[in-house]
């Protein structure tokens, strides 16, 4: 069995925090990392994947600091988000200072196990600009990215495939939020590009994202589309994935920070939809 933890949107260095859905505590990241280490041991996880926006703004000193803090007992992998890529030389900085977080010296890579292939594919943010977030948020994959993804899926037809990117495929439904609008809806063009892949390849069963700081889950005949809340926002949640030759399971968990003296994180009750209903927080799907 393959087990990994999925976390996202930690926004190291944010002061003050910008976009957030629940109260955020980036200043408690050292405590949060210690709590994550305990969860790795508790679940016997093989590795951790971060879904992007590890830092709030890309700076060499901040990247080095975060790298020094994240000394975890298992491999740590990063899917770069828009805040990680907010300067033209961002990719160069990440590859220079955190080489162990990217397999093969590339931001687009695969984690291969006996039962599963996890594709880490950071989406771009503007046509013609690779690995740089300027003024626009128009998520897309390049033709080069799509070709590589398809080639690897085709080369591993007996394994389950998981795609990790930063931008979500779907927004939060009105049924989940109880509001009169979809929260953080995704562009149709980006959604279509990913749905085309899951329709074409029956073994591409899970698509993971972050960016919206929301726990959402859409199960279709083809795949499970998941977005995750921010690890630094109350109640400090992560997702556990357990994948075998025959099935995949996802569960959502909160970190236990109750032992921190004097720490009383706030919670906005009328935004409890961020955490999702029971059916938004987990699944069990079988391989085709």
């Amino acid at each position: 069995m393959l087990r990994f933890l999925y976390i996202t949107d930690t926004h190291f260095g944010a002061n003050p925090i910008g976009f957030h859905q629940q109260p955020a505590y980036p200043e408690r990241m050292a405590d949060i990392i210690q709590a994550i280490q305990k969860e790795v041991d508790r679940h016997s996880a093989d590795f951790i994947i971060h879904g992007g926006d590890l830092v709030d703004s890309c700076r060499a000193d901040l990247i080095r600091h975060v790298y020094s803090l994240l000394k975890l007992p298992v491999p740590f992998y990063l899917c770069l988000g828009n805040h990680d890529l907010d300067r033209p030389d961002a990719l160069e900085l990440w590859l220079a200072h955190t080489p162990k977080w990217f397999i093969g010296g590339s931001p687009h890579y695969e984690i291969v196990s006996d039962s599963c292939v996890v594709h880490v594919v950071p989406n771009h943010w503007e046509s013609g600009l690779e690995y740089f977030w300027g003024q626009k948020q128009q998520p897309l994959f390049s033709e080069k990215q799509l070709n590589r993804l398809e080639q690897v899926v085709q080369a591993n037809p007996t394994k389950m495939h998981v795609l990790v990117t930063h931008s979500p495929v779907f927004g939060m439904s009105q049924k989940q939020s109880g509001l009169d609008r979809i929260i953080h809806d995704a562009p149709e063009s980006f959604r279509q590009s990913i749905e085309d892949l899951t329709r074409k390849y029956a073994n591409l069963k899970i698509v993971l994202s972050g960016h919206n700081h929301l726990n959402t889950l859409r199960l279709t005949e083809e795949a499970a589309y998941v977005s995750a809340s921010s690890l630094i926002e109350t109640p400090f949640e992560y997702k556990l994935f357990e994948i075998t030759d025959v099935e995949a399971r996802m569960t959502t968990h909160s970190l236990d920070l109750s032992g921190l003296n004097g720490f009383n994180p706030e919670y906005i009750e009328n935004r409890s939809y961020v955490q999702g209903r029971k059916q938004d927080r987990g699944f069990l799907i079988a391989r085709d």
Side-chain angles (χ1 to χ4, degrees):
M1 176 184 289
L2 176 70
R3 292 188 181 93
F4 67 89
L5 304 188
Y6 182 69
I7 63 176
T8 191
D9 292 274
T10 47
H11 291 271
F12 272 104
N15 184 23
I17 193 71
F19 175 78
H20 59 286
Q21 299 283 4
Q22 284 285 355
Y25 298 88
E27 70 277 8
R28 304 306 298 245
M29 275 310 303
D31 297 315
I32 290 171
I33 290 171
Q34 287 186 357
I36 279 287
Q37 290 177 333
K38 293 179 182 178
E39 299 304 291
V40 167
D41 293 339
R42 183 165 75 91
H43 296 297
S44 299
D46 296 296
F47 54 84
I48 298 173
I49 299 179
H50 193 294
D53 287 356
L54 174 59
V55 297
D56 199 56
S57 185
C58 182
R59 306 193 319 265
D61 62 325
L62 182 57
I63 291 173
R64 288 194 296 268
H65 177 60
V66 173
Y67 192 64
S68 69
L69 286 177
L70 283 165
K71 300 298 184 183
L72 298 164
V74 294
F76 178 90
Y77 300 110
L78 175 61
C79 177
L80 293 163
N82 53 308
H83 281 261
D84 304 318
L85 297 169
D86 66 355
R87 53 191 282 177
D89 63 343
L91 179 57
E92 179 182 340
L93 291 176
W94 285 107
L95 295 180
H97 295 293
T98 63
K100 292 182 180 180
W101 294 352
F102 306 94
I103 295 174
S106 170
H108 180 160
Y109 54 93
E110 296 81 30
I111 307 165
V112 181
S113 73
D114 292 338
S115 58
C116 178
V117 179
V118 180
H119 304 255
V120 178
V121 190
N123 58 276
H124 303 309
W125 296 96
E126 185 175 348
S127 181
L129 293 179
E130 292 195 348
Y131 303 111
F132 172 50
W133 172 48
Q135 298 299 315
K136 297 182 180 180
Q137 288 200 18
Q138 298 174 344
L140 74 153
F141 292 135
S142 68
E143 184 176 351
K144 180 180 178 181
Q145 287 177 308
L146 291 171
N147 287 341
R148 173 171 174 169
L149 177 60
E150 292 201 60
Q151 288 172 5
V152 176
V153 173
Q154 291 169 0
N156 294 272
T158 63
K159 296 183 179 182
M160 185 177 291
H161 292 260
V162 178
L163 169 61
V164 179
T165 193
H166 185 63
S167 196
V169 183
F170 295 95
M172 178 179 282
S173 71
Q174 294 159 283
K175 288 183 178 179
Q176 178 173 341
S177 69
L179 302 178
D180 60 359
R181 68 189 187 282
I182 296 174
I183 302 177
H184 216 294
D185 202 7
E188 178 62 31
S189 58
F190 184 66
R191 178 186 303 129
Q192 190 65 54
S193 68
I194 296 179
E195 286 190 297
D196 286 347
L197 288 169
T198 58
R199 292 189 184 105
K200 185 174 182 180
Y201 299 104
N203 53 343
L204 177 53
K205 302 299 294 182
I206 303 172
V207 180
L208 305 181
S209 64
H211 190 56
N212 60 13
H213 298 212
L214 299 168
N215 283 323
T216 70
L217 170 61
R218 178 170 296 208
L219 288 172
T220 70
E221 292 183 3
E222 291 81 20
Y225 300 91
V226 177
S227 71
S229 60
S230 166
L231 183 69
I232 63 168
E233 295 178 16
T234 314
F236 314 105
E237 293 190 319
Y238 67 93
K239 296 186 184 296
L240 170 67
F241 287 86
E242 300 172 285
I243 300 174
T244 71
D245 291 335
V246 296
E247 64 185 22
R249 181 189 302 272
M250 180 191 83
T251 49
T252 302
H253 305 261
S254 296
L255 296 180
D256 181 7
L257 301 179
S258 59
L260 301 180
N261 291 333
F263 184 46
N264 297 299
E266 297 179 2
Y267 187 76
I268 303 173
E269 291 293 343
N270 63 7
R271 287 191 184 177
S272 61
Y273 55 73
V274 171
Q275 274 55 69
R277 305 159 295 179
K278 182 178 181 180
Q279 63 263 40
D280 305 313
R281 295 172 59 82
F283 65 73
L284 177 64
I285 56 176
R287 288 193 54 175
D288 292 337

